[in-house]
Amino acid sequence: MAAKKKTSWSIGELAREFDVTTRTIRFYEDEGLLEPARRGQTRIYSAADRTALKLILRGKRLGFSLAESRQLIQMYNPDANRAQIEALLAKIHERRAQLTQQLRDIEVMQLELDEAEQRCLESLK
Amino acid sequence: MAAKKKTSWSIGELAREFDVTTRTIRFYEDEGLLEPARRGQTRIYSAADRTALKLILRGKRLGFSLAESRQLIQMYNPDANRAQIEALLAKIHERRAQLTQQLRDIEVMQLELDEAEQRCLESLK
DNA sequence: GGGAAAGCTTACGTTAACGTAAAGTTATTG
DNA sequence: CAATAACTTTACGTTAACGTAAGCTTTCCC
């Protein structure tokens, strides 16, 4: 038997998996970042929703705002006209520039942490 | 003549150099992140203040809170007893772990941007 | 089948990180 | 030497990103 891949999730399952509250997940929906299906009242999340959530949280770890993550999610949907796509391309370049800057910042900060650690170890002797 | 190194700055000079408002700089002081000297009422910033500000802003670009940056600044001052220094060491390790995670996140996100760009370019043909 | 667990909506509360405005005091400069 | 630019304090306002609580419905489990 091939292992059946899970294709839908409840809000609680996602909350546990990604260690956020259900409130947070519903908030992201209010903000238009997630669009779960419904069975009656109950939300049902697809693999796409799950991916979007992953993307949002990764963005958060990098200090992105939800507005920025919203743009990232849009980059996953190629449902746009020429003008919109060119706008997307511009945003992609912006993000890349930001990531490059962050890489530089991380390098510098790692060095500084190294030095700070040295000073700490020194002063413990 | 040897070039004279600047050793003090006004709030306006720092604001221009780092592209923040004076309000922001004063706010950081309220929060205990900067401790400028005074000539009369007027604030005078030292090289150390300038370094701290740089550190805060670098932290911001990486999504650090001011509380976290405060800790980073403390790592620059070795004026602590044994217990405090060991606490510092622990925080240094935490930060390093976070930076490592951020590096991973950046790598993934760069790949995703590459793919998104490909899709955009495709749909423009 | 009855109670706990999970889900739902609505709505007000909270915190961080400044913005903005008012009103006054020094510094600079044509 | 006057005006304008730069600085000051005090204080209320704002936005993002949820937290928290109340009250109700649905689902699961023994």
Side-chain angles (χ1 to χ4, degrees), chain B residues 3 7 13 17 20 23 34 40 44 50-51 56 59 61 68 84 86 99 101 105 109 111 116 118-120 122:
Chain B
T7 62
E13 288 171 339
E17 177 175 359
V20 296
R23 173 69 175 96
L34 299 175
I44 300 182
R50 206 164 151 280
T51 301
I56 295 168
R61 290 194 298 272
E68 290 170 317
Q84 289 172 332
E86 279 169 355
L99 291 182
Q101 175 63 49
D105 287 331
M109 207 169 272
L111 289 178
Q118 283 312 309
R119 285 196 301 276
C120 281
E122 273 305 310

Side-chain angles (χ1 to χ4, degrees), chain A residues 10-12 26 38 41-43:
Chain A
S10 75
I11 194 169
R26 291 196 194 97
R38 299 271 182 149
Q41 293 244 89
T42 305
R43 279 165 251 255

Side-chain angles (χ1 to χ4, degrees), chain B residues 47-110:
Chain B
D49 292 317
R50 206 164 151 280
T51 301
L53 182 53
K54 232 190 277 188
L55 213 143
I56 295 168
L57 298 177
R58 187 187 305 126
K60 275 199 64 178
R61 290 194 298 272
L62 293 175
F64 287 32
S65 70
L66 293 187
E68 290 170 317
S69 289
R70 198 200 322 275
Q71 296 185 350
L72 290 179
I73 293 174
Q74 280 177 23
M75 297 178 189
Y76 269 69
N77 312 340
D79 59 339
N81 61 39
R82 180 164 207 102
Q84 289 172 332
I85 289 189
E86 279 169 355
L88 268 188
L89 279 170
K91 287 174 189 171
I92 290 175
H93 288 60
E94 272 183 49
R95 290 295 122 229
R96 248 206 289 261
Q98 184 185 345
L99 291 182
T100 303
Q101 175 63 49
Q102 288 189 307
L103 278 179
R104 277 198 295 270
D105 287 331
I106 289 178
E107 274 181 43
V108 174
M109 207 169 272
Q110 279 180 333

Side-chain angles (χ1 to χ4, degrees), chain B residues 6-61:
Chain B
K6 211 163 171 21
T7 62
S8 75
W9 293 262
S10 76
I11 194 168
E13 288 171 339
L14 289 187
R16 254 164 285 148
E17 177 175 359
F18 294 108
D19 194 32
V20 296
T21 68
T22 58
R23 173 69 175 96
T24 294
I25 296 180
R26 292 195 194 98
F27 177 72
Y28 293 160
E29 180 179 355
D30 282 351
E31 296 295 302
L33 300 174
L34 299 175
E35 294 183 336
R38 299 271 181 150
R39 198 177 55 194
Q41 293 245 87
T42 306
R43 280 165 252 255
I44 300 182
Y45 295 86
S46 69
D49 292 317
R50 206 164 151 280
T51 301
L53 182 53
K54 232 190 277 188
L55 213 143
I56 295 168
L57 298 177
R58 187 187 305 126
K60 275 199 64 178
R61 290 194 298 272

